């Protein structure tokens, strides 16, 4: 007590003398500094109590533009806070999702979970639900106006794999020009820019070119990794006529007028070819949603529904414009997402949770919610407990 | 004699021209950067608007559908229309759509207006409606925390080290370490912040509090070094005079030394805050790289700062973000110039009052 008192006394002394040292116009300002500081502490205190957490989605940079766009439309339709979307790479996103039962609500990935990752998730007691949200393709690009050629997956492997089988032995990749791979290819040096490790795109690329000598990409300067920045790849390709870039379809779609796409196995990376899985370098994109901590459950389900709704991926959907290619079975996935929301017909609960949506402008979603009053989450039906659903997010309650 | 003189003159001329060349080169680089940023960035402050009743629905920005109720006549156009109208970049527009734009133009149903949304909106995935408000506010909140941590700690440490600390080996070691820390790459402070504030203290991750504390750690050594330097520059005669008149050490310090050193101290603080404002690397390290469309309302809310938003925009596929990126850089540069000129003004003002 004495110590505090003496410190306070001392600080007042220092304050007073500091102030008297200041020129006159600043003195009044400085006198309130102490009060200002207290005010900030107060501000901090009140806001701890108020924070209503938005959804948090983490993961792949390839899915990030889509997930963030969905987040905005989700906000406009439900008036819930806009979900936070972080682009940290597929691997890191999965790790963060499975780290604890709280934390992020979902992960966006450009490949499915591996067995090891699933096991880790289960160890932590994290329950997840997988949604395929669309198809994406890796596009080999060149500058418009440069020489066009069609290559096979084998040609691509010859170009970027670290080790190749030569005389039934695995040796370092000797190819330095395209014409070394196929005589019909242009005689220009190999110069390929593509994704970097830790991105899902890289994982997919290595899987696609996996050969008898492993799947690692060459490190001798022919294949250049551009960490999570596809604009950089596009810029470099535009400035170097011989360079070949490997980017995702959404980026190609946005820069179509400046870029040339090389056909792979004779198939061009077009919307329908990727959707139908004919294009060899295509891959599905995933959204994984956490099922623990049910206080976020409604928002999570609504987010997935928005992601798969016809507003987003329909004929003129906003995700389609951004280059996402919906799967042929999109309807079923949407139904599946809606299944997440199947809620008990407890009237009080419904009123409490659903009425805010009437205020929101997404009227269609509201009517959907009202129609869909059937069952419950499997776990709840077992225990017969409905009260767990009553944990309404703060923001929702305030809107009622 | 004459010969050596001529030689010396030649040497001098040579040296002068060398200096002039390097200066010109630096100015050239600076001019290129600024010219480039200004040319690409200025269009970001204008947006294309279309008459909502006249334009087809896919010419409107994707968020226009939610602005029901309020009957707006002019609506921000979609980024593809915007790009075509401003820069003649056809992008993925079909020839029919381009024809429609021209007919809209003929009927005065499309126009270029000041993009107020660029200053008042927060981040968005749609370049035509994205703005910097969230980032600017986040930067402000972060800087407040940085100031509150770095200012008292830095000044306190500097005054103690300069005026009161005993001169022994331990103090010398600490001094050497602080001088070294001032030159440490900022990303290491990000690592420190990650371990201390997030892993150890468990503070909420993409918040202004954690960002500000991390940047505070980063500015601390710089503030200590500059404060010490300006304290040391106060002539000893001033102290002796005060002590001769019977002032206590603390009185000497607060009545005479600090007021005389204040211009240097304030300049140091403002410059280190300006550096913190433009810093990205440590913030990326502590994970402040998220897409956050809601402006923060407290120090604990998920926050993004302006430099990180610039970083995020530069990675986006839409062409509209290229000009948005440059526009945001212009704003950041403007704020930095403002801060620096405040520093200069304050220094000038104090200098004239406490001329030594």
């Amino acid at each position: 007590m004495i110590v505090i008192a003496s410190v306070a006394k001392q600080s007042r002394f220092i304050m007073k003398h500091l102030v008297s040292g200041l020129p006159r116009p600043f003195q009044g300002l400085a006198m309130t500094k102490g009060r200002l500081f207290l005010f900030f502490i107060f501000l901090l205190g009140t806001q701890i109590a108020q924070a209503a957490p938005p959804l948090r989605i983490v993961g792949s940079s390839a899915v990030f533009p889509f997930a963030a766009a969905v987040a905005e439309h989700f906000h406009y339709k439900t008036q819930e806070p806009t979900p936070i979307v972080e682009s940290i790479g597929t691997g890191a996103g999965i790790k963060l999702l499975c780290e604890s039962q709280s934390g992020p609500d979902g992960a966006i990935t450009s490949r499915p979970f591996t067995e090891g990752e699933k096991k880790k998730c289960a160890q932590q007691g994290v329950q997840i639900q997988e949604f395929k949200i669309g198809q994406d393709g890796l596009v080999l690009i060149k500058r418009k106006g440069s020489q066009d050629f069609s290559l096979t997956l084998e040609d691509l492997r010859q170009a970027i794999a670290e080790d190749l089988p030569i005389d039934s032995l695995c040796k370092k990749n000797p190819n330095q020009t395209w014409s070394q791979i196929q005589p019909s290819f242009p005689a220009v040096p190999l110069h390929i820019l593509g994704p970097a490790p830790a991105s899902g795109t890289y994982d997919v690329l290595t899987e696609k070119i996996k050969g008898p000598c492993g799947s690692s990409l060459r490190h001798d300067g022919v294949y250049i990794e551009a960490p999570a920045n596809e604009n950089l790849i596009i810029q470099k390709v535009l400035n170097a006529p011989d360079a070949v870039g490997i980017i995702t379809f959404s980026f190609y779609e946005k820069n179509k007028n400046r870029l040339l796409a090389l056909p792979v196995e004779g198939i061009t990376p077009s919307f329908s070819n990727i959707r139908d899985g004919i294009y060899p370098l295509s891959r599905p994109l995933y959204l994984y949603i956490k099922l623990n901590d049910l206080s976020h459950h409604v928002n999570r389900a609504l987010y997935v529904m928005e992601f798969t709704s016809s507003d987003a991926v329909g004929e003129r959907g906003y995700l389609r414009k951004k280059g996402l290619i919906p799967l042929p079975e999109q309807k079923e996935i949407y139904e599946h997402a809606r299944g997440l929301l199947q809620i008990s017909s407890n009237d009080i609960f419904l009123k409490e949770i659903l009425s805010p949506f009437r205020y929101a402008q997404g009227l269609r979603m509201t009517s959907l919610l009202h129609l869909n009053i059937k069952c419950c989450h499997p776990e709840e039906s077992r225990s017969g407990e409905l009260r767990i659903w009553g944990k309404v997010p703060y923001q929702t309650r305030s809107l009622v | 004699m004459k010969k050596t003189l001529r030689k010396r003159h030649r040497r001098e001329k040579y040296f002068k021209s060398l200096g002039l060349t390097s200066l010109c080169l630096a100015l050239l680089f600076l001019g290129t950067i600024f010219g480039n940023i200004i040319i690409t960035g200025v269009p970001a402050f204008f947006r294309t608007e279309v008459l909502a009743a006249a334009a087809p629905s896919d010419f409107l920005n994707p968020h226009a559908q939610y602005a029901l109720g309020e009957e707006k006549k002019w609506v921000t156009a979609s980024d593809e229309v915007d790009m075509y109208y401003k820069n003649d970049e056809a992008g993925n527009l079909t020839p029919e759509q381009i024809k429609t734009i021209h007919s809209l133009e003929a009927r005065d149903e499309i126009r270029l207006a000041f993009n107020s949304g660029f200053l008042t909106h927060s981040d968005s995935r749609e370049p035509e409606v994205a703005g910097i408000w969230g980032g600017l506010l986040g930067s402000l909140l972060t800087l407040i925390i940085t100031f509150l941590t770095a200012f008292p700690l830095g000044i306190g440490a500097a005054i103690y080290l300069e005026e009161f600390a005993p001169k022994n080996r331990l103090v010398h070691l600490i001094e050497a370490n602080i001088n070294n820390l001032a030159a440490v790459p900022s990303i290491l402070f990000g690592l420190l912040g990650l371990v201390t504030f997030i892993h150890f203290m468990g503070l909420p991750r993409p918040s202004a509090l954690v960002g500000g504390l991390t940047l505070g750690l980063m500015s601390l050594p710089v503030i200590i070094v500059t404060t010490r330097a300006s304290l040391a520059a106060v002539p000893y005669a001033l102290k002796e005079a005060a002590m001769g008149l019977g002032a206590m050490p603390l009185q000497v310090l607060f009545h005479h030394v600090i007021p005389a050193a204040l211009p240097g101290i304030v300049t140091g603080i403002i410059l280190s805050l300006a550096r913190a404002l433009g810093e990205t690397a440590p913030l990326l390290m502590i994970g402040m790289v998220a897409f956050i469309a809601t402006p923060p309302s407290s120090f604990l809310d998920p926050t993004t700062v302006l430099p990180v938003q610039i970083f995020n925009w530069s990675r986006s596929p839409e062409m509209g973000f290229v000009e948005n990126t440059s526009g945001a850089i212009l704003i950041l540069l403007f704020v930095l110039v403002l801060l620096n000129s405040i520093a200069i003004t304050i220094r000038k003002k104090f200098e004239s009052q406490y001329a030594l």
Side-chain angles (χ1 to χ4, degrees):
Chain A
M1 232 13 234
I2 299 162
V3 177
I4 295 171
S6 69
V7 166
K9 207 174 161 192
Q10 195 73 6
S11 69
R12 209 175 304 144
F13 174 75
I14 293 172
M15 204 64 199
K16 205 173 133 201
H17 287 284
L18 247 181
V19 169
S20 63
L22 285 173
R24 199 156 293 278
F26 289 89
Q27 283 191 3
L29 194 79
M31 265 312 199
T32 57
K33 206 180 261 168
R35 262 173 259 163
L36 215 65
F37 186 69
L38 279 183
F39 174 70
F40 279 123
I41 298 284
F42 170 74
L43 221 62
L44 213 70
T46 55
Q47 270 149 357
I48 290 168
Q50 269 193 5
L55 288 181
R56 280 185 55 201
I57 313 288
V58 293
S60 164
S61 61
V63 197
F64 169 78
F66 310 130
V70 172
E72 282 183 72
H73 286 266
F74 167 86
H75 164 71
Y76 281 115
K77 285 186 179 170
T78 64
Q79 296 297 306
E80 294 286 304
T82 317
I84 297 170
V85 188
E86 289 176 75
S87 142
I88 53 177
T90 295
I94 291 173
K95 200 174 153 222
L96 208 60
L97 183 74
C98 290
E99 218 167 52
S100 72
Q101 295 192 16
S102 52
D105 299 282
I108 39 180
T109 67
S110 48
R111 58 170 172 80
F113 273 43
T114 62
E115 282 308 311
E117 284 164 345
K118 276 188 187 148
K119 218 193 253 167
K120 251 182 213 158
C121 252
Q123 270 172 9
Q124 293 294 330
V126 176
Q127 294 170 293
I128 46 166
Q129 172 77 51
E130 176 188 289
F131 291 96
K132 257 191 199 178
I133 46 166
Q135 196 89 12
D136 189 19
L138 297 182
V139 183
L140 302 177
I141 52 160
K142 287 193 80 180
R143 189 168 81 177
K144 205 159 214 173
S146 58
Q147 195 184 351
D148 189 3
F149 52 94
S150 172
L151 69 175
T152 62
L153 275 184
E154 177 59 34
D155 294 335
L156 186 64
R157 182 182 310 134
Q158 292 279 338
I160 60 174
E162 179 152 44
D163 299 302
L164 289 173
I166 298 162
D167 310 328
S168 69
L169 274 173
C170 280
K171 285 190 180 156
K172 286 266 176 249
N173 190 339
N175 297 324
Q176 291 300 330
T177 62
W178 282 103
S179 53
Q180 276 174 330
I181 298 169
Q182 292 279 346
S184 61
F185 288 171
V188 295
L190 285 165
H191 183 195
I192 297 158
L193 301 132
S199 70
T201 325
Y202 183 87
D203 294 347
V204 171
L205 186 65
T206 51
E207 195 196 302
K208 295 278 181 193
I209 64 139
K210 196 168 188 171
C213 292
S215 62
S216 63
L217 303 187
R218 56 202 294 189
H219 290 99
D220 53 0
V222 168
Y223 179 79
I224 297 160
E225 296 161 356
N229 193 341
E230 303 188 62
N231 275 340
L232 203 71
I233 299 179
I234 293 173
Q235 281 304 322
K236 291 233 171 97
V237 167
L238 286 177
N239 290 328
D242 297 333
V244 171
I246 303 174
I247 58 173
T248 53
F249 185 73
S250 58
F251 278 78
Y252 167 65
E253 184 83 353
K254 286 280 163 204
N255 295 280
K256 236 179 186 168
N257 55 328
R258 302 189 279 176
L259 299 172
L260 188 79
L262 301 180
V264 180
E265 308 274 0
I267 298 161
T268 50
S270 70
F271 180 83
S272 57
N273 284 344
I274 294 176
R275 183 193 57 204
D276 301 341
I278 304 171
Y279 181 67
L281 287 176
S282 64
R283 48 138 184 213
L285 301 174
Y286 297 88
L287 170 64
Y288 287 85
I289 288 293
K290 198 179 269 179
L291 297 177
N292 310 71
D293 183 13
L294 291 166
S295 60
H296 280 179
H297 193 77
V298 173
N299 277 352
R300 287 174 189 162
L302 287 175
Y303 182 78
V304 183
M305 282 168 73
E306 178 59 36
F307 219 128
T308 49
S309 69
S310 60
D311 274 4
V313 290
E315 197 64 40
R316 308 180 94 171
Y318 56 88
L319 288 187
R320 283 279 283 272
K321 275 193 197 147
K322 291 199 173 293
L324 182 77
I325 296 164
L327 298 162
E329 65 267 28
Q330 198 68 44
K331 273 260 154 55
E332 289 90 79
I333 298 168
Y334 179 71
E335 289 304 318
H336 190 169
R338 212 167 71 171
L340 261 192
L341 205 66
Q342 290 186 334
I343 311 163
S344 147
S345 59
N346 183 327
D347 274 354
I348 300 163
F349 162 70
L350 270 181
K351 251 182 223 154
E352 202 167 5
I353 283 225
L354 297 184
S355 51
F357 296 117
R358 258 183 260 138
Y359 295 93
Q361 278 127 355
L363 292 170
R364 193 142 35 123
M365 192 173 269
T366 317
S367 54
L368 256 176
L369 278 165
H370 277 294
L371 288 173
N372 195 28
I373 309 165
K374 268 184 288 180
C375 180
C376 10
H377 192 258
E379 226 171 285
E380 275 65 62
S381 70
R382 235 184 301 131
S383 63
E385 272 271 342
L386 291 171
R387 259 186 305 140
I388 198 159
W389 290 96
K391 264 171 89 186
V392 185
Y394 177 86
Q395 201 87 14
T396 316
R397 200 186 287 270
S398 69
L399 274 162
V400 176
Chain B
M1 177 68 191
K2 229 177 188 176
K3 210 173 169 189
T4 54
L5 198 65
R6 205 172 334 128
K7 206 172 164 189
R8 269 197 266 165
H9 280 309
R10 205 170 52 226
R11 261 199 196 150
E12 200 182 314
K13 236 187 208 164
Y14 180 66
F15 185 74
K16 267 186 192 163
S17 65
L18 209 67
L20 199 67
T21 324
S22 60
L23 189 70
C24 286
L25 219 60
L27 279 179
L28 186 75
F29 289 142
L30 200 69
T32 323
I33 293 172
F34 274 100
N36 193 5
I37 289 173
I38 288 172
I39 287 168
T40 41
V42 165
F45 293 94
F46 297 95
R47 65 177 171 207
T48 311
E49 290 181 343
V50 287
L51 211 54
S57 65
D58 56 345
F59 274 23
L60 309 183
N61 73 73
H63 294 170
Q65 50 174 314
Y66 301 114
L68 297 174
E70 34 189 307
E71 280 308 315
K72 266 210 233 159
K73 275 174 83 184
W74 290 96
V75 180
T76 309
S78 76
D79 66 322
E80 282 170 338
V81 175
D82 189 46
M83 274 291 131
Y84 182 74
Y85 193 65
K86 279 198 295 201
N87 309 339
D88 266 344
E89 290 260 16
N92 295 337
L93 288 174
T94 59
E96 288 90 71
Q97 284 174 318
I98 290 175
K99 229 178 262 167
T100 318
I101 294 178
H102 285 300
S103 68
L104 282 176
E105 200 176 357
R107 279 178 280 146
D108 266 344
E109 283 164 349
I110 187 165
R111 69 173 185 191
L112 215 57
F114 177 67
N115 190 359
S116 57
F118 189 66
L119 300 174
T120 56
H121 290 168
S122 288
D123 198 2
S124 168
R125 285 312 306 164
E126 316 296 342
E128 66 274 21
V129 292
I132 56 157
W133 176 238
L136 210 58
L137 199 64
S139 278
L140 180 74
L141 291 182
T142 310
L143 269 195
I144 288 175
I145 296 284
T146 306
F147 179 76
L148 288 182
T149 46
F151 173 72
L153 285 179
I155 301 283
I159 291 177
Y160 181 78
L161 279 177
E162 191 62 34
E163 303 287 334
F164 300 114
K167 300 272 178 279
N168 56 28
R169 284 186 90 155
L170 184 70
V171 174
H172 275 300
L173 193 72
I174 290 173
E175 282 173 0
N177 269 315
I178 288 173
N179 289 339
N180 276 336
L181 274 180
V184 156
S186 56
I187 193 150
L188 294 185
F189 288 100
L191 209 59
L192 182 63
L194 183 72
V195 173
T196 326
F197 302 126
I198 293 170
H199 290 174
F200 182 66
M201 290 165 74
L203 294 173
R205 193 155 59 90
S207 66
L209 184 66
V210 175
L213 287 173
T214 308
L215 291 180
L217 282 184
M218 190 198 78
S219 345
L220 207 51
V222 180
I223 290 184
I224 294 176
V225 169
T226 50
T227 306
R228 287 195 60 191
S230 44
L231 284 177
V234 175
Y236 202 70
L238 195 75
K239 293 184 203 172
E240 276 179 337
M243 277 191 270
L245 289 173
M248 298 286 289
L250 209 60
Q251 285 175 322
V252 175
L253 186 67
F254 283 111
H255 291 181
H256 304 285
V257 177
I258 288 184
L262 213 52
I265 297 176
V266 172
T267 314
I269 288 168
I270 291 181
L271 289 184
S272 64
L273 282 186
R275 187 183 157 210
L277 178 67
E279 199 57 74
T280 328
L283 297 180
L284 297 184
M285 202 71 208
I286 58 168
M288 278 182 91
V289 65
F291 167 77
I292 296 161
T294 327
S297 58
S298 84
F299 294 108
L300 294 171
D301 275 358
T303 309
T304 183
V305 295
L306 202 47
V308 173
Q309 202 173 329
I310 290 170
F311 173 72
N312 269 342
W313 280 357
S314 72
R315 299 194 296 172
S316 303
E318 289 84 2
M319 285 199 295
F321 275 121
V322 176
E323 59 182 44
N324 279 8
T325 306
S326 296
I329 290 173
L330 280 181
I331 301 266
L332 186 64
L333 281 177
F334 175 73
V335 176
L336 286 175
V337 168
L338 202 73
L339 273 182
N340 284 349
S341 48
I342 288 174
I344 293 171
T345 325
I346 288 181
R347 192 173 53 203
K348 280 269 152 63
K349 195 174 162 108
F350 281 107
E351 255 172 5
S352 58
Q353 269 183 4
Y354 294 93
L356 296 172

